[in-house]
Amino acid sequence: MFEITIDGFKTQVSKNTTILTAAKNIGIKIPSLCNLKLDGYFFNNHATCRICVVEVDQRDGLYPACSTICWEGMNVITNSSQIIQIRKNILELLISNHPKDCLTCSKSGECELQKLTQEFRLKEIRFNGERNQFNSEYSESIIRDPEKCIMCRRCETMCNKIQTCGVLSAINKGFHSVVSTAYENNLDNTVCTFCGQCVNVCPVGALHEKNYTWEVMEALANPNKKVIAQVAPAVRVALGEEFGMEVGLNVEKKIVTALKKMGFDGVFDTTWAADLTIMEEATELKERLEGYFSGDKNIKLPLLTSCCPAWINFIEYNFPNLLDIPSTSKSPQQMFSAVAKNIWAPKMGIDRKNLVVVSIMPCLAKKYEASKPEFMKDGNRDTDMSISTRELADMIRYFNIDFPEIIDNEFDSPMGEYTGAGIIFGRAGGVLEAALRTTYEWMMHEELKDINILEIENSKGLITKKIKFGSTQLKVGIAHGLGNARKLLEEIESGKEFYHAIEIMACHYGCVGGGGQPFIHEKTQILQKRVNSLNKIDKNCKLRKSHENSYVRKLYEEYFDSPCSEKAKLLLHTKLLKK
């Protein structure tokens, strides 16, 4: 530790501390745009925006606070009239080359450039000229609007260093500089996984989700359509944040009421389908483990859980030699919709083309997943539309619903019943733990007494663990974040490590940190609070194993016969494809 002075205040700092961090630690605000730190997994300090410039030791020139490392005895001035004027000039230059469509921008109200402009009370822009012209790029999940790019390069850091997808990078020079794809291809023509983490870190509206709220509104207004919703586990512990409620608060019953007020004909829980997913995945895991322990050399291990469409894209693009290890079970979103359209709708006397299934997800890749041809029948999607947690919050505001004050309601039956095992799908390690709870009882023919069979520390992005499984041990791996997934899969592909089962989630902390969740603005403790809330719901559930779900059992009795039967494979399973 050594001493520095910032604006006359003396403070102790450690080696490799930046001026920006040192100032934050003593409550001095230095404005910044490109700098972003998410404790434990993300740090962007390209120092491109220069908004954070400061004076150091009365030297000539200004220093970017976000990338300048403190030295002993340093004397920093953050707020002289010269500095404030220069920051204003930089801000004006940024805005002069930025669209002025704030009223209709998807990021309005959340835009960091807009907020900074308000803080500086800018009323006019002195610099005028011809702005750069770039074409917007559209996909089912993410829309890129390069004209709004301010070259902070956060998305580039996230895509390349953290998720290791290598889709985005800086191109061109000078005023023509922009972050884009190779050859400025559409995202659909790249190896993008649509995880949406680039959207989560973009400070402006250059990256945002494709919004389906108005398509949902049209369906609700159509008297010839029956519109039902399915709500993912992670949504219920994040939505309240959009309305100033306690972080991590479970608002599932208020979600039901809000959706009913909007006019949805049925409000169901994707968690029910998570239990259904476990019936299929646990059967696959049981069969593979029994074959492996009996000496069958044709068994492929580890089993890789398959509910995250972003990592499905990732493995199809990057590890085609490992496509025989994932489970073939569909995700809970697609299982729910397949059952709704093919079993529930006929029972209710509804033509599948007149049933609109809307999924409410924490994930932007779910939008892409819903559009895949293999999840359609005669051109009719199983999941008609997928909206994010943020989009649901917007809809609640459209309908002028006082969300914190509305009464509670239960999910509709029967596709609203769930167990604790289904709930923990929303956090890293949850899918694998749910599968192990059921697989243990099926293989050992005894009750699993230690229900928390796979306790993990979610702050670690790559976790390996040995767990007692009857008279033997299983080695399992959990990776959240695609960069960590790459490390895990490379170990497996090279033969360096062996696992019996693994789980991969594209987003850090799992679905609670999905690309469609409320923005956390550097407060990574929010993610852990969401995880804690899901664990609390699981703990308080009367039933905590998926095979105890009575409606799931009834579905097998009446329709599928047994998990992984021919009927089940036809409706509940899919294939992975080399790309």
Side-chain angles (χ1 to χ4, degrees), residues 352-353 376-381:
R352 68 168 282 144
K353 291 182 179 178
M376 299 181 190
K377 183 177 180 181
D378 300 326
N380 177 254
R381 293 183 179 188

Side-chain angles (χ1 to χ4, degrees), residues 190-202:
T190 69
V191 294
C192 179
T193 65
F194 302 107
C195 68
Q197 290 305 304
C198 57
V199 175
N200 274 357
V201 297
C202 180

Side-chain angles (χ1 to χ4, degrees), residues 57 64 112 174 184 258 355 358 369 376 388 401 420 466 506 562:
D57 293 343
E112 294 177 37
E184 299 183 69
L355 178 65
V358 178
E369 182 185 45
M376 299 181 190
S388 67
I401 295 171
K466 290 182 179 179
S562 62

Side-chain angles (χ1 to χ4, degrees), residues 159-176:
C159 188
N160 297 336
K161 292 186 178 180
I162 310 304
Q163 299 295 69
T164 67
C165 295
V167 175
L168 300 172
S169 63
I171 62 170
N172 303 333
K173 294 180 179 180
F175 277 106
H176 301 289

Side-chain angles (χ1 to χ4, degrees), residues 63-230:
Y63 289 69
C66 67
S67 62
T68 303
I69 303 299
C70 299
W71 59 79
E72 189 168 1
M74 174 186 275
N75 184 25
V76 180
I77 303 297
T78 72
N79 58 0
S80 70
S81 57
Q82 179 196 15
I83 293 171
I84 294 169
Q85 184 61 53
I86 288 173
R87 286 179 187 156
K88 178 176 177 287
N89 293 345
I90 293 170
L91 190 56
E92 285 182 289
L93 284 167
L94 278 171
I95 295 169
S96 71
N97 194 39
H98 197 82
K100 310 300 187 294
D101 59 349
C102 294
L103 290 175
T104 56
C105 179
S106 64
K107 208 65 179 284
S108 184
E110 294 275 5
C111 175
E112 294 177 37
L113 181 62
Q114 184 184 54
K115 184 179 179 182
L116 206 53
T117 303
Q118 292 168 346
E119 288 177 0
F120 272 80
R121 297 292 188 267
L122 288 186
K123 302 301 178 185
E124 59 182 0
I125 307 300
R126 292 175 293 150
F127 308 114
N128 291 306
E130 186 177 334
R131 282 194 303 105
N132 290 326
Q133 301 294 316
F134 298 100
N135 293 324
S136 294
E137 299 170 8
Y138 297 86
S139 71
E140 288 291 338
S141 295
I142 297 170
I143 296 174
R144 289 187 63 248
D145 190 350
E147 288 195 4
K148 294 177 181 175
C149 178
I150 60 171
M151 284 297 289
C152 69
R153 303 179 76 172
R154 290 184 188 178
C155 61
E156 184 182 353
T157 299
M158 179 60 79
C159 188
N160 297 336
K161 292 186 178 180
I162 310 304
Q163 299 295 69
T164 67
C165 295
V167 175
L168 300 172
S169 63
I171 62 170
N172 303 333
K173 294 180 179 180
F175 277 106
H176 301 289
S177 299
V178 71
V179 173
S180 187
T181 60
Y183 306 108
E184 299 183 69
N185 278 325
N186 226 331
L187 286 176
D188 285 332
N189 298 321
T190 69
V191 294
C192 179
T193 65
F194 302 107
C195 68
Q197 290 305 304
C198 57
V199 175
N200 274 357
V201 297
C202 180
V204 291
L207 286 157
H208 57 95
E209 66 261 46
K210 185 174 180 181
N211 193 307
Y212 286 92
T213 54
W214 294 106
E215 285 88 341
V216 175
M217 301 279 262
E218 276 185 35
L220 289 170
N222 189 336
N224 298 318
K225 299 291 185 181
K226 291 289 184 182
V227 186
I228 63 172
Q230 53 161 309

Side-chain angles (χ1 to χ4, degrees), residues 226-228 265-268 272 336-350 355-357 412-415 551 555 559 571:
K226 291 289 184 182
V227 186
I228 63 172
D265 297 292
V267 181
F268 301 106
W272 165 84
F336 176 96
S337 299
V339 171
K341 288 275 180 99
N342 295 287
I343 298 177
W344 183 79
K347 276 189 174 182
M348 303 300 291
I350 305 169
L355 178 65
V356 178
V357 179
D412 289 325
S413 187
M415 294 184 291
Y551 183 70
L555 190 63
Y559 192 85
L571 203 61

